[in-house]
Amino acid sequence: MVGYSEVIQTMAAMVLFSLILLTSNRMIFINSQKEIESSAEKKAITIAQTYIDEARALPFDANTAGGPPAQVPEGFSSCGQASTSDFNDFDDYHGLNETVDWQKGSGDGAFDVSIQVLYVSPSSDFDIASGHTGTPYTEFKKMVVTVTSDYLTDNNGDKIEIRVPYLRRYYKTQ
């Protein structure tokens, strides 16, 4: 009987060790998943900020590229995507939809980017939902960069989107 009790104790120890190992593996998997999601969030924000930084360096409007328009804001143009990939003013990014790789040149297309640029007014609290591409023109344009990915999920596994807004006001320089 002495030999059986040692075998039973060894088997119980193996079962206990297996349970501990399963739990630790599950925790490592969850932590790895959260790390990837966190990296994806940071990358999505970086991508959105890159588009905003590019657009900020451009003139407010196609009609302000050579200097202030004769009439403000009636001298502004409608918001619209550039007909080519030559973006030469702030609102040329309107309607842009692109796929961006996680790492440059990887070809994985991990992130989908869409951009809206609309005229907004202070009376609407600069809300993009009340925005418009043309008349009535205002001195304010708002860019909202939306980034989505399969790597961006909430606790239920549903996809989330990262939305980064940027409000730009026209300042007459002459």
Side-chain angles (χ1 to χ4, degrees), residues 95-134:
L96 180 70
N97 292 301
E98 287 188 333
T99 301
V100 178
D101 297 336
W102 189 291
Q103 283 187 303
K104 193 172 185 173
S106 67
D108 58 15
F111 297 95
D112 295 316
V113 178
S114 64
I115 301 176
Q116 266 190 308
V117 181
L118 299 174
Y119 284 100
V120 293
S121 66
S123 63
S124 68
D125 292 329
F126 306 105
D127 183 22
I128 196 85
S130 64
H132 45 84
T133 57

Coordinates of all heavy atoms in Angstrom, one line a residue, residues 95-134:
G95 N -11.9 62.9 -48.6 CA -12.3 61.7 -49.3 C -11.2 60.7 -49.6 O -11.4 59.7 -50.3
L96 N -10.0 61.0 -49.0 CA -8.9 60.0 -49.2 C -9.1 58.7 -48.5 O -9.5 58.7 -47.3 CB -7.6 60.7 -48.8 CG -6.4 59.9 -48.9 CD1 -6.0 59.7 -50.4 CD2 -5.2 60.5 -48.1
N97 N -9.0 57.6 -49.2 CA -9.0 56.3 -48.5 C -7.8 55.5 -49.0 O -7.6 55.4 -50.2 CB -10.3 55.5 -49.0 CG -11.5 56.2 -48.5 OD1 -11.7 56.3 -47.3 ND2 -12.4 56.6 -49.4
E98 N -7.0 55.1 -48.0 CA -5.7 54.4 -48.3 C -5.6 53.3 -47.3 O -6.2 53.2 -46.3 CB -4.5 55.3 -48.2 CG -4.4 56.3 -49.3 CD -3.1 57.1 -49.2 OE1 -2.5 57.3 -48.1 OE2 -2.6 57.5 -50.3
T99 N -4.7 52.3 -47.8 CA -4.3 51.2 -46.9 C -2.8 51.5 -46.6 O -2.0 51.8 -47.4 CB -4.5 49.9 -47.6 OG1 -5.9 49.8 -48.0 CG2 -4.1 48.7 -46.7
V100 N -2.5 51.3 -45.3 CA -1.1 51.6 -44.8 C -0.6 50.3 -44.2 O -1.3 49.6 -43.4 CB -1.1 52.7 -43.8 CG1 0.3 52.9 -43.2 CG2 -1.7 54.0 -44.4
D101 N 0.6 49.9 -44.5 CA 1.3 48.7 -43.9 C 1.7 49.0 -42.5 O 2.0 50.1 -42.1 CB 2.5 48.4 -44.7 CG 2.2 48.0 -46.2 OD1 1.0 47.6 -46.4 OD2 3.0 48.1 -47.0
W102 N 1.8 47.9 -41.7 CA 2.3 48.0 -40.3 C 3.8 48.5 -40.4 O 4.1 49.4 -39.7 CB 2.2 46.6 -39.6 CG 2.5 46.7 -38.2 CD1 3.7 47.0 -37.6 CD2 1.6 46.6 -37.1 NE1 3.6 47.0 -36.2 CE2 2.3 46.8 -35.9 CE3 0.2 46.3 -37.0 CZ2 1.7 46.7 -34.6 CZ3 -0.4 46.2 -35.8 CH2 0.4 46.4 -34.6
Q103 N 4.5 47.8 -41.2 CA 5.9 48.2 -41.4 C 6.0 48.6 -42.9 O 5.5 47.9 -43.8 CB 6.9 47.1 -41.1 CG 7.2 46.9 -39.7 CD 8.3 45.9 -39.4 OE1 8.2 44.8 -39.9 NE2 9.3 46.4 -38.7
K104 N 6.7 49.7 -43.2 CA 6.8 50.2 -44.5 C 7.4 49.1 -45.5 O 8.4 48.5 -45.2 CB 7.8 51.4 -44.6 CG 7.7 52.2 -45.9 CD 8.5 53.5 -45.8 CE 8.3 54.2 -47.0 NZ 8.9 55.6 -46.9
G105 N 6.7 48.9 -46.5 CA 7.1 47.9 -47.5 C 6.7 46.5 -47.2 O 7.0 45.6 -48.0
S106 N 6.0 46.2 -46.1 CA 5.7 44.8 -45.8 C 4.6 44.3 -46.6 O 4.4 43.1 -46.8 CB 5.3 44.7 -44.3 OG 4.1 45.4 -44.0
G107 N 3.7 45.2 -47.1 CA 2.6 44.8 -48.0 C 1.5 44.1 -47.2 O 0.6 43.5 -47.9
D108 N 1.4 44.3 -45.9 CA 0.4 43.6 -45.1 C -0.9 44.4 -45.1 O -2.0 43.8 -44.8 CB 0.8 43.3 -43.7 CG 1.3 44.5 -42.9 OD1 1.0 45.7 -43.4 OD2 1.9 44.4 -41.9
G109 N -0.9 45.7 -45.4 CA -2.1 46.5 -45.4 C -2.9 46.4 -44.1 O -4.1 46.2 -44.1
A110 N -2.2 46.5 -43.0 CA -2.8 46.3 -41.7 C -3.8 47.4 -41.3 O -4.7 47.2 -40.5 CB -1.7 46.2 -40.7
F111 N -3.6 48.6 -41.8 CA -4.5 49.8 -41.4 C -5.2 50.4 -42.6 O -4.6 50.6 -43.7 CB -3.6 50.8 -40.7 CG -2.9 50.4 -39.5 CD1 -1.6 49.9 -39.5 CD2 -3.6 50.4 -38.3 CE1 -1.0 49.4 -38.4 CE2 -3.0 49.9 -37.1 CZ -1.7 49.5 -37.2
D112 N -6.5 50.7 -42.4 CA -7.2 51.4 -43.4 C -7.5 52.8 -42.9 O -7.9 53.0 -41.8 CB -8.6 50.7 -43.6 CG -8.4 49.3 -44.2 OD1 -7.6 49.2 -45.2 OD2 -9.1 48.4 -43.8
V113 N -7.2 53.8 -43.8 CA -7.2 55.2 -43.4 C -8.3 55.9 -44.3 O -8.3 55.7 -45.5 CB -5.9 55.9 -43.6 CG1 -6.0 57.4 -43.3 CG2 -4.8 55.2 -42.8
S114 N -9.2 56.7 -43.7 CA -10.1 57.5 -44.4 C -10.1 58.9 -43.8 O -10.0 59.0 -42.6 CB -11.5 56.9 -44.4 OG -12.0 56.9 -43.1
I115 N -10.2 59.9 -44.7 CA -10.1 61.3 -44.2 C -11.3 62.1 -44.7 O -11.7 62.0 -45.9 CB -8.8 61.9 -44.7 CG1 -7.6 61.1 -44.2 CG2 -8.7 63.4 -44.2 CD1 -6.2 61.6 -44.7
Q116 N -11.8 62.9 -43.8 CA -12.8 63.9 -44.1 C -12.3 65.3 -43.8 O -11.7 65.5 -42.8 CB -14.1 63.7 -43.3 CG -15.1 62.8 -43.9 CD -16.4 62.9 -43.0 OE1 -16.3 62.7 -41.8 NE2 -17.5 63.2 -43.6
V117 N -12.5 66.2 -44.7 CA -12.1 67.6 -44.5 C -13.4 68.4 -44.9 O -13.7 68.4 -46.1 CB -10.9 68.1 -45.3 CG1 -10.6 69.5 -45.0 CG2 -9.7 67.2 -45.0
L118 N -14.0 69.1 -43.9 CA -15.2 69.9 -44.2 C -15.1 71.2 -43.6 O -14.4 71.4 -42.6 CB -16.4 69.1 -43.7 CG -16.7 67.7 -44.3 CD1 -17.8 67.1 -43.5 CD2 -17.0 67.8 -45.7
Y119 N -15.8 72.2 -44.1 CA -16.0 73.5 -43.5 C -16.9 73.3 -42.3 O -17.9 72.6 -42.4 CB -16.7 74.5 -44.4 CG -15.8 75.0 -45.5 CD1 -15.8 74.5 -46.8 CD2 -14.9 76.1 -45.2 CE1 -14.9 75.0 -47.8 CE2 -14.0 76.6 -46.2 CZ -14.1 76.1 -47.5 OH -13.2 76.6 -48.4
V120 N -16.6 73.9 -41.2 CA -17.4 73.8 -40.0 C -17.5 75.2 -39.4 O -16.7 76.1 -39.7 CB -16.8 72.9 -38.9 CG1 -16.9 71.4 -39.4 CG2 -15.4 73.2 -38.5
S121 N -18.5 75.4 -38.6 CA -18.7 76.8 -38.0 C -18.7 76.7 -36.5 O -19.0 75.7 -35.9 CB -20.0 77.3 -38.5 OG -21.1 76.6 -38.0
P122 N -18.3 77.9 -35.9 CA -18.3 77.9 -34.4 C -19.7 77.7 -33.8 O -19.8 77.1 -32.7 CB -17.9 79.3 -34.1 CG -17.2 79.8 -35.3 CD -17.8 79.1 -36.5
S123 N -20.8 78.1 -34.6 CA -22.1 77.9 -34.0 C -22.5 76.4 -33.9 O -23.4 76.1 -33.1 CB -23.1 78.6 -34.9 OG -23.1 78.0 -36.2
S124 N -21.8 75.5 -34.6 CA -22.1 74.1 -34.5 C -21.1 73.4 -33.6 O -21.0 72.2 -33.7 CB -22.1 73.4 -35.9 OG -20.8 73.4 -36.4
D125 N -20.4 74.2 -32.8 CA -19.3 73.6 -32.0 C -18.3 72.9 -32.8 O -17.7 71.9 -32.3 CB -19.9 72.7 -30.9 CG -20.7 73.5 -29.8 OD1 -20.4 74.7 -29.6 OD2 -21.7 72.9 -29.3
F126 N -18.1 73.3 -34.0 CA -17.1 72.8 -34.9 C -17.3 71.3 -35.2 O -16.4 70.5 -35.3 CB -15.7 73.0 -34.4 CG -15.4 74.5 -34.1 CD1 -15.4 74.9 -32.8 CD2 -15.2 75.4 -35.1 CE1 -15.1 76.3 -32.5 CE2 -14.9 76.7 -34.9 CZ -14.9 77.2 -33.6
D127 N -18.6 70.9 -35.2 CA -18.9 69.5 -35.3 C -18.9 69.1 -36.8 O -19.4 69.7 -37.7 CB -20.4 69.3 -34.8 CG -20.8 67.8 -34.9 OD1 -19.9 66.9 -34.9 OD2 -22.0 67.6 -34.8
I128 N -18.1 68.0 -37.1 CA -17.9 67.5 -38.4 C -19.3 67.1 -39.0 O -19.5 67.1 -40.3 CB -16.8 66.4 -38.5 CG1 -16.4 66.3 -40.0 CG2 -17.3 65.1 -38.0 CD1 -15.3 67.2 -40.4
A129 N -20.2 66.6 -38.2 CA -21.5 66.1 -38.7 C -22.3 67.3 -39.4 O -23.1 67.0 -40.3 CB -22.3 65.5 -37.6
S130 N -22.1 68.5 -38.9 CA -22.8 69.6 -39.5 C -21.9 70.3 -40.6 O -22.3 71.3 -41.1 CB -23.1 70.7 -38.4 OG -21.9 71.2 -37.9
G131 N -20.8 69.7 -40.9 CA -19.9 70.3 -41.9 C -20.4 70.2 -43.3 O -21.4 69.5 -43.6
H132 N -19.7 70.8 -44.2 CA -20.1 70.8 -45.7 C -18.9 71.1 -46.5 O -17.9 71.6 -46.0 CB -21.2 71.9 -45.9 CG -20.9 73.2 -45.3 ND1 -20.0 74.2 -45.8 CD2 -21.2 73.7 -44.0 CE1 -19.9 75.2 -45.0 NE2 -20.6 74.9 -43.9
T133 N -18.9 70.7 -47.7 CA -17.8 70.8 -48.6 C -17.7 72.2 -49.2 O -16.6 72.6 -49.7 CB -17.8 69.7 -49.7 OG1 -19.0 69.9 -50.5 CG2 -17.6 68.4 -49.2
G134 N -18.8 72.9 -49.3 CA -18.7 74.2 -50.0 C -19.6 75.2 -49.3 O -19.6 75.2 -48.0

